Tab-separated table of all heavy atoms in Angstrom:
chain	number	residue	atom	x	y	z
A	1	VAL	N	-3.091	-5.686	-12.394
A	1	VAL	CA	-4.093	-5.247	-11.421
A	1	VAL	C	-5.336	-6.128	-11.488
A	1	VAL	O	-5.901	-6.508	-10.455
A	1	VAL	CB	-4.460	-3.775	-11.654
A	1	VAL	CG1	-5.571	-3.335	-10.710
A	1	VAL	CG2	-3.238	-2.898	-11.482
A	2	ALA	N	-5.791	-6.458	-12.677
A	2	ALA	CA	-7.027	-7.223	-12.835
A	2	ALA	C	-7.004	-7.906	-14.193
A	2	ALA	O	-6.156	-7.637	-15.044
A	2	ALA	CB	-8.252	-6.319	-12.713
A	3	GLY	N	-7.970	-8.801	-14.369
A	3	GLY	CA	-8.102	-9.512	-15.631
A	3	GLY	C	-7.704	-10.969	-15.505
A	3	GLY	O	-7.251	-11.431	-14.444
A	4	TYR	N	-7.869	-11.691	-16.594
A	4	TYR	CA	-7.536	-13.116	-16.617
A	4	TYR	C	-7.059	-13.485	-18.010
A	4	TYR	O	-7.692	-13.120	-19.012
A	4	TYR	CB	-8.746	-13.971	-16.233
A	4	TYR	CG	-8.527	-15.450	-16.413
A	4	TYR	CD1	-7.752	-16.166	-15.505
A	4	TYR	CD2	-9.081	-16.129	-17.489
A	4	TYR	CE1	-7.531	-17.518	-15.666
A	4	TYR	CE2	-8.875	-17.486	-17.650
A	4	TYR	CZ	-8.096	-18.182	-16.745
A	4	TYR	OH	-7.879	-19.527	-16.909
A	5	ALA	N	-5.938	-14.169	-18.084
A	5	ALA	CA	-5.387	-14.656	-19.344
A	5	ALA	C	-5.058	-16.132	-19.174
A	5	ALA	O	-4.222	-16.478	-18.327
A	5	ALA	CB	-4.142	-13.863	-19.733
A	6	PRO	N	-5.705	-17.017	-19.922
A	6	PRO	CA	-5.410	-18.454	-19.789
A	6	PRO	C	-3.935	-18.741	-20.028
A	6	PRO	O	-3.332	-18.273	-20.986
A	6	PRO	CB	-6.291	-19.087	-20.876
A	6	PRO	CG	-7.380	-18.096	-21.126
A	6	PRO	CD	-6.752	-16.750	-20.913
A	7	GLY	N	-3.355	-19.502	-19.122
A	7	GLY	CA	-1.955	-19.864	-19.235
A	7	GLY	C	-0.984	-18.879	-18.629
A	7	GLY	O	0.228	-19.150	-18.604
A	8	ASP	N	-1.478	-17.738	-18.146
A	8	ASP	CA	-0.605	-16.745	-17.524
A	8	ASP	C	-0.897	-16.698	-16.021
A	8	ASP	O	-1.896	-16.119	-15.582
A	8	ASP	CB	-0.841	-15.369	-18.147
A	8	ASP	CG	0.197	-14.340	-17.700
A	8	ASP	OD1	0.978	-14.660	-16.785
A	8	ASP	OD2	0.216	-13.226	-18.254
A	9	PRO	N	-0.027	-17.292	-15.198
A	9	PRO	CA	-0.313	-17.354	-13.750
A	9	PRO	C	-0.168	-16.026	-13.040
A	9	PRO	O	-0.596	-15.905	-11.887
A	9	PRO	CB	0.707	-18.367	-13.236
A	9	PRO	CG	1.838	-18.296	-14.210
A	9	PRO	CD	1.220	-17.997	-15.546
A	10	THR	N	0.438	-15.033	-13.669
A	10	THR	CA	0.633	-13.764	-12.979
A	10	THR	C	-0.684	-13.085	-12.639
A	10	THR	O	-0.766	-12.327	-11.672
A	10	THR	CB	1.493	-12.812	-13.839
A	10	THR	OG1	0.845	-12.603	-15.111
A	10	THR	CG2	2.865	-13.410	-14.081
A	11	TYR	N	-1.727	-13.353	-13.437
A	11	TYR	CA	-3.033	-12.760	-13.158
A	11	TYR	C	-3.707	-13.401	-11.946
A	11	TYR	O	-4.680	-12.856	-11.427
A	11	TYR	CB	-3.953	-12.897	-14.376
A	11	TYR	CG	-3.616	-11.962	-15.503
A	11	TYR	CD1	-2.725	-12.339	-16.498
A	11	TYR	CD2	-4.181	-10.692	-15.587
A	11	TYR	CE1	-2.401	-11.481	-17.545
A	11	TYR	CE2	-3.865	-9.825	-16.628
A	11	TYR	CZ	-2.977	-10.233	-17.601
A	11	TYR	OH	-2.660	-9.372	-18.622
A	12	LEU	N	-3.205	-14.556	-11.515
A	12	LEU	CA	-3.850	-15.284	-10.420
A	12	LEU	C	-3.127	-15.126	-9.085
A	12	LEU	O	-3.679	-15.510	-8.053
A	12	LEU	CB	-3.933	-16.773	-10.770
A	12	LEU	CG	-4.691	-17.132	-12.046
A	12	LEU	CD1	-4.617	-18.635	-12.293
A	12	LEU	CD2	-6.141	-16.672	-11.975
A	13	LEU	N	-1.916	-14.579	-9.096
A	13	LEU	CA	-1.128	-14.537	-7.863
A	13	LEU	C	-1.766	-13.646	-6.807
A	13	LEU	O	-1.869	-14.033	-5.636
A	13	LEU	CB	0.299	-14.065	-8.179
A	13	LEU	CG	1.134	-15.032	-9.023
A	13	LEU	CD1	2.522	-14.440	-9.275
A	13	LEU	CD2	1.243	-16.388	-8.346
A	14	MET	N	-2.195	-12.453	-7.178
A	14	MET	CA	-2.827	-11.569	-6.194
A	14	MET	C	-4.163	-12.113	-5.701
A	14	MET	O	-4.443	-12.054	-4.494
A	14	MET	CB	-2.978	-10.156	-6.765
A	14	MET	CG	-1.751	-9.296	-6.570
A	14	MET	SD	-2.083	-7.521	-6.694
A	14	MET	CE	-2.590	-7.396	-8.401
A	15	PRO	N	-5.042	-12.640	-6.580
A	15	PRO	CA	-6.263	-13.264	-6.055
A	15	PRO	C	-5.990	-14.413	-5.104
A	15	PRO	O	-6.684	-14.562	-4.093
A	15	PRO	CB	-6.983	-13.738	-7.325
A	15	PRO	CG	-6.492	-12.844	-8.401
A	15	PRO	CD	-5.072	-12.536	-8.046
A	16	ILE	N	-4.989	-15.220	-5.404
A	16	ILE	CA	-4.642	-16.329	-4.507
A	16	ILE	C	-4.194	-15.804	-3.151
A	16	ILE	O	-4.627	-16.301	-2.095
A	16	ILE	CB	-3.548	-17.205	-5.147
A	16	ILE	CG1	-4.111	-17.968	-6.346
A	16	ILE	CG2	-2.964	-18.176	-4.123
A	16	ILE	CD1	-3.064	-18.700	-7.153
A	17	LEU	N	-3.346	-14.797	-3.161
A	17	LEU	CA	-2.854	-14.233	-1.904
A	17	LEU	C	-3.980	-13.573	-1.115
A	17	LEU	O	-4.080	-13.756	0.114
A	17	LEU	CB	-1.746	-13.219	-2.196
A	17	LEU	CG	-1.068	-12.572	-0.985
A	17	LEU	CD1	-0.414	-13.631	-0.118
A	17	LEU	CD2	-0.047	-11.535	-1.433
A	18	ALA	N	-4.832	-12.814	-1.795
A	18	ALA	CA	-5.943	-12.143	-1.108
A	18	ALA	C	-6.909	-13.146	-0.492
A	18	ALA	O	-7.468	-12.904	0.585
A	18	ALA	CB	-6.691	-11.245	-2.100
A	19	LEU	N	-7.102	-14.278	-1.154
A	19	LEU	CA	-8.005	-15.294	-0.621
A	19	LEU	C	-7.352	-16.129	0.471
A	19	LEU	O	-8.020	-16.575	1.412
A	19	LEU	CB	-8.471	-16.205	-1.771
A	19	LEU	CG	-9.563	-17.224	-1.470
A	19	LEU	CD1	-10.826	-16.548	-0.958
A	19	LEU	CD2	-9.879	-18.034	-2.729
A	20	ALA	N	-6.031	-16.315	0.396
A	20	ALA	CA	-5.345	-17.207	1.342
A	20	ALA	C	-5.133	-16.560	2.704
A	20	ALA	O	-5.139	-17.264	3.721
A	20	ALA	CB	-4.006	-17.645	0.762
A	21	LEU	N	-4.935	-15.247	2.752
A	21	LEU	CA	-4.577	-14.600	4.020
A	21	LEU	C	-5.636	-14.773	5.108
A	21	LEU	O	-5.311	-15.210	6.221
A	21	LEU	CB	-4.274	-13.122	3.776
A	21	LEU	CG	-2.970	-12.835	3.021
A	21	LEU	CD1	-2.801	-11.341	2.785
A	21	LEU	CD2	-1.768	-13.402	3.761
A	22	PRO	N	-6.912	-14.447	4.867
A	22	PRO	CA	-7.893	-14.665	5.938
A	22	PRO	C	-8.118	-16.139	6.251
A	22	PRO	O	-8.396	-16.497	7.397
A	22	PRO	CB	-9.163	-14.003	5.402
A	22	PRO	CG	-8.989	-13.958	3.932
A	22	PRO	CD	-7.522	-13.791	3.700
A	23	LEU	N	-7.983	-17.013	5.241
A	23	LEU	CA	-8.119	-18.446	5.496
A	23	LEU	C	-6.987	-18.937	6.397
A	23	LEU	O	-7.210	-19.737	7.310
A	23	LEU	CB	-8.111	-19.217	4.173
A	23	LEU	CG	-9.234	-18.908	3.186
A	23	LEU	CD1	-9.030	-19.710	1.905
A	23	LEU	CD2	-10.596	-19.225	3.787
A	24	ALA	N	-5.782	-18.464	6.135
A	24	ALA	CA	-4.642	-18.857	6.968
A	24	ALA	C	-4.818	-18.376	8.402
A	24	ALA	O	-4.478	-19.098	9.351
A	24	ALA	CB	-3.353	-18.293	6.370
A	25	ALA	N	-5.354	-17.169	8.578
A	25	ALA	CA	-5.568	-16.653	9.926
A	25	ALA	C	-6.560	-17.508	10.698
A	25	ALA	O	-6.342	-17.846	11.870
A	25	ALA	CB	-6.050	-15.204	9.848
A	26	SER	N	-7.658	-17.872	10.058
A	26	SER	CA	-8.666	-18.714	10.728
A	26	SER	C	-8.104	-20.090	11.053
A	26	SER	O	-8.284	-20.604	12.165
A	26	SER	CB	-9.901	-18.844	9.832
A	26	SER	OG	-10.472	-17.588	9.551
A	27	LEU	N	-7.428	-20.691	10.093
A	27	LEU	CA	-6.883	-22.031	10.311
A	27	LEU	C	-5.765	-22.012	11.354
A	27	LEU	O	-5.593	-22.979	12.105
A	27	LEU	CB	-6.356	-22.590	8.983
A	27	LEU	CG	-5.906	-24.045	8.980
A	27	LEU	CD1	-7.038	-24.958	9.435
A	27	LEU	CD2	-5.439	-24.451	7.586
A	28	TYR	N	-5.027	-20.916	11.432
A	28	TYR	CA	-3.964	-20.805	12.437
A	28	TYR	C	-4.539	-20.852	13.847
A	28	TYR	O	-4.010	-21.547	14.724
A	28	TYR	CB	-3.181	-19.507	12.227
A	28	TYR	CG	-2.219	-19.195	13.348
A	28	TYR	CD1	-0.952	-19.789	13.381
A	28	TYR	CD2	-2.575	-18.337	14.384
A	28	TYR	CE1	-0.074	-19.520	14.419
A	28	TYR	CE2	-1.696	-18.064	15.418
A	28	TYR	CZ	-0.460	-18.658	15.438
A	28	TYR	OH	0.406	-18.401	16.464
A	29	LEU	N	-5.626	-20.114	14.086
A	29	LEU	CA	-6.220	-20.111	15.425
A	29	LEU	C	-6.749	-21.487	15.797
A	29	LEU	O	-6.604	-21.933	16.940
A	29	LEU	CB	-7.342	-19.076	15.482
A	29	LEU	CG	-6.911	-17.610	15.359
A	29	LEU	CD1	-8.122	-16.689	15.422
A	29	LEU	CD2	-5.909	-17.245	16.449
A	30	VAL	N	-7.362	-22.178	14.848
A	30	VAL	CA	-7.857	-23.530	15.124
A	30	VAL	C	-6.693	-24.470	15.417
A	30	VAL	O	-6.746	-25.287	16.347
A	30	VAL	CB	-8.694	-24.044	13.931
A	30	VAL	CG1	-9.116	-25.487	14.155
A	30	VAL	CG2	-9.916	-23.171	13.716
A	31	SER	N	-5.621	-24.355	14.628
A	31	SER	CA	-4.479	-25.250	14.799
A	31	SER	C	-3.778	-25.022	16.129
A	31	SER	O	-3.405	-25.980	16.816
A	31	SER	CB	-3.493	-25.050	13.644
A	31	SER	OG	-4.117	-25.261	12.404
A	32	THR	N	-3.560	-23.764	16.498
A	32	THR	CA	-2.867	-23.481	17.757
A	32	THR	C	-3.671	-23.952	18.962
A	32	THR	O	-3.107	-24.496	19.922
A	32	THR	CB	-2.583	-21.981	17.889
A	32	THR	OG1	-3.798	-21.237	17.665
A	32	THR	CG2	-1.540	-21.544	16.877
A	33	GLN	N	-4.986	-23.758	18.910
A	33	GLN	CA	-5.817	-24.224	20.024
A	33	GLN	C	-5.767	-25.738	20.137
A	33	GLN	O	-5.678	-26.295	21.239
A	33	GLN	CB	-7.255	-23.749	19.829
A	33	GLN	CG	-8.181	-24.144	20.970
A	33	GLN	CD	-9.592	-23.626	20.753
A	33	GLN	OE1	-9.891	-22.999	19.742
A	33	GLN	NE2	-10.468	-23.892	21.709
A	34	ALA	N	-5.808	-26.422	18.989
A	34	ALA	CA	-5.750	-27.881	19.017
A	34	ALA	C	-4.412	-28.368	19.540
A	34	ALA	O	-4.342	-29.316	20.341
A	34	ALA	CB	-6.006	-28.427	17.613
A	35	LEU	N	-3.334	-27.723	19.127
A	35	LEU	CA	-2.013	-28.134	19.604
A	35	LEU	C	-1.855	-27.902	21.104
A	35	LEU	O	-1.273	-28.734	21.815
A	35	LEU	CB	-0.933	-27.374	18.837
A	35	LEU	CG	-0.595	-27.884	17.439
A	35	LEU	CD1	0.381	-26.952	16.750
A	35	LEU	CD2	-0.031	-29.298	17.491
A	36	GLU	N	-2.356	-26.795	21.606
A	36	GLU	CA	-2.260	-26.519	23.039
A	36	GLU	C	-3.020	-27.568	23.847
A	36	GLU	O	-2.564	-28.002	24.913
A	36	GLU	CB	-2.795	-25.124	23.339
A	36	GLU	CG	-1.903	-24.002	22.832
A	36	GLU	CD	-0.541	-24.013	23.491
A	36	GLU	OE1	-0.438	-24.435	24.653
A	36	GLU	OE2	0.436	-23.610	22.831
A	37	GLU	N	-4.185	-27.974	23.348
A	37	GLU	CA	-4.950	-28.994	24.069
A	37	GLU	C	-4.216	-30.330	24.081
A	37	GLU	O	-4.195	-31.046	25.093
A	37	GLU	CB	-6.327	-29.145	23.429
A	37	GLU	CG	-7.234	-27.931	23.618
A	37	GLU	CD	-8.575	-28.098	22.926
A	37	GLU	OE1	-8.762	-29.153	22.259
A	37	GLU	OE2	-9.426	-27.202	23.042
A	38	VAL	N	-3.618	-30.685	22.939
A	38	VAL	CA	-2.905	-31.953	22.872
A	38	VAL	C	-1.638	-31.913	23.713
A	38	VAL	O	-1.268	-32.897	24.368
A	38	VAL	CB	-2.583	-32.291	21.397
A	38	VAL	CG1	-1.718	-33.536	21.307
A	38	VAL	CG2	-3.878	-32.505	20.615
A	39	LEU	N	-0.949	-30.787	23.732
A	39	LEU	CA	0.293	-30.682	24.511
A	39	LEU	C	0.056	-30.791	26.009
A	39	LEU	O	0.981	-31.084	26.767
A	39	LEU	CB	0.984	-29.353	24.189
A	39	LEU	CG	1.658	-29.262	22.826
A	39	LEU	CD1	2.153	-27.848	22.562
A	39	LEU	CD2	2.803	-30.261	22.722
A	40	SER	N	-1.175	-30.538	26.437
A	40	SER	CA	-1.489	-30.675	27.863
A	40	SER	C	-1.843	-32.104	28.255
A	40	SER	O	-2.100	-32.379	29.424
A	40	SER	CB	-2.650	-29.740	28.230
A	40	SER	OG	-3.838	-30.114	27.539
A	41	HIS	N	-1.855	-33.033	27.296
A	41	HIS	CA	-2.171	-34.426	27.596
A	41	HIS	C	-1.049	-35.056	28.432
A	41	HIS	O	0.126	-34.725	28.250
A	41	HIS	CB	-2.350	-35.205	26.283
A	41	HIS	CG	-2.995	-36.548	26.471
A	41	HIS	ND1	-2.264	-37.679	26.758
A	41	HIS	CD2	-4.292	-36.930	26.421
A	41	HIS	CE1	-3.086	-38.707	26.863
A	41	HIS	NE2	-4.321	-38.284	26.660
A	42	PRO	N	-1.392	-35.960	29.369
A	42	PRO	CA	-0.355	-36.573	30.216
A	42	PRO	C	0.749	-37.269	29.437
A	42	PRO	O	1.925	-37.218	29.842
A	42	PRO	CB	-1.147	-37.568	31.071
A	42	PRO	CG	-2.531	-37.000	31.125
A	42	PRO	CD	-2.746	-36.347	29.808
A	43	SER	N	0.424	-37.924	28.329
A	43	SER	CA	1.464	-38.624	27.570
A	43	SER	C	2.453	-37.646	26.957
A	43	SER	O	3.651	-37.937	26.857
A	43	SER	CB	0.831	-39.478	26.468
A	43	SER	OG	0.136	-38.660	25.547
């Protein structure tokens, strides 16, 4: 649930996931908008 033990990655998996989810959501919206703009290019 909580805590930190050097060398034990299990204590870091939930913090990594909790931090990554909102970052992924923000980056997804930026990426999709950029791709849509590029896909509309004549080339």
Side-chain angles (χ1 to χ4, degrees):
V1 176
Y4 172 76
D8 189 351
T10 58
Y11 286 90
L12 301 177
L13 293 179
M14 274 200 296
I16 290 172
L17 183 60
L19 188 58
L21 289 178
L23 298 177
S26 301
L27 187 57
Y28 170 83
L29 293 180
V30 175
S31 303
T32 51
Q33 182 179 2
L35 281 174
E36 290 297 330
E37 292 178 357
V38 174
L39 287 173
S40 64
H41 194 273
S43 62

